[in-house]
Amino acid sequence: MPPRGDGEMMDWFYEVCDEMAAWMAHSREATYDVDQDVPLPTLDKTQNYTTKRGNIYYSLPNEDRVIFISDVTEPKSVTLLRTGEPIDFDYREQALHLVLPKSMETKLPDLVKIVF
C-alpha cells in the first residue's frame, strides 16, 4: 500500500518497523561485517543458512528447529543469540547437531551463535 496523502504510512508498517528494530537490537551481530558466502547451506557442510565472522557461526534453525553442521571442531559455546542462553548440543564425528527447544522459539528468526 502506498503512503497516505500526508506521507504517513499505514499503522501496520510502523509495527513491523518496531518489530524489526527489536530483532536488530539483539541479532545485528549476525548480519553486519560477516562472511555471507561461506558456509552456505550445502549438504556436506551445513543444512542451515549460516553467516560467519572468524571462529563464530550464526545459524538459523530449519523448519524443524534443527541445526546440523559437519566437518567442524567441537564448539566452545552454543547460545541463542536473542537471549544468550546456552543450548544443549550433540557433537560427534566432527559434526554438530542441535535442536532449538520449542520454549526458546519465537515467531521471528531465532539465530544460534556457535563459537568454535
Side-chain angles (χ1 to χ4, degrees), residues 78-81 85-89 98-101 104 111-112:
V78 178
T79 57
L80 182 63
L81 187 55
E85 293 176 78
I87 299 173
D88 291 332
F89 62 90
L98 66 90
V99 178
L100 182 66
M104 291 181 153
L111 292 161
V112 174

Side-chain angles (χ1 to χ4, degrees), residues 12-23:
W12 62 264
F13 174 81
Y14 297 105
E15 292 168 11
V16 169
C17 288
D18 289 344
E19 192 174 69
M20 185 171 29
W23 185 90

Side-chain angles (χ1 to χ4, degrees), residues 5-33:
D6 64 0
E8 287 278 323
M9 297 298 287
M10 303 302 167
D11 291 339
W12 62 264
F13 174 81
Y14 297 105
E15 292 168 11
V16 169
C17 288
D18 289 344
E19 192 174 69
M20 185 171 29
W23 185 90
M24 288 297 287
H26 58 68
S27 294
R28 91 172 40 244
E29 72 180 78
T31 62
Y32 286 99
D33 297 323

Side-chain angles (χ1 to χ4, degrees), residues 7-78:
E8 287 278 323
M9 297 298 287
M10 303 302 167
D11 291 339
W12 62 264
F13 174 81
Y14 297 105
E15 292 168 11
V16 169
C17 288
D18 289 344
E19 192 174 69
M20 185 171 29
W23 185 90
M24 288 297 287
H26 58 68
S27 294
R28 91 172 40 244
E29 72 180 78
T31 62
Y32 286 99
D33 297 323
V34 293
D35 184 351
Q36 295 180 347
D37 293 329
V38 286
L40 291 175
T42 60
L43 292 177
D44 64 328
K45 186 72 171 173
T46 177
Q47 297 175 7
N48 308 84
Y49 181 75
T50 302
T51 59
K52 180 183 174 196
R53 179 184 305 118
N55 64 339
I56 302 172
Y57 285 16
Y58 302 95
S59 285
L60 184 64
N62 68 15
E63 63 277 353
D64 297 320
R65 301 185 329 273
V66 172
I67 292 177
F68 179 79
I69 304 174
S70 62
D71 195 27
V72 291
T73 60
E74 185 168 6
K76 293 179 182 173
S77 67
V78 178

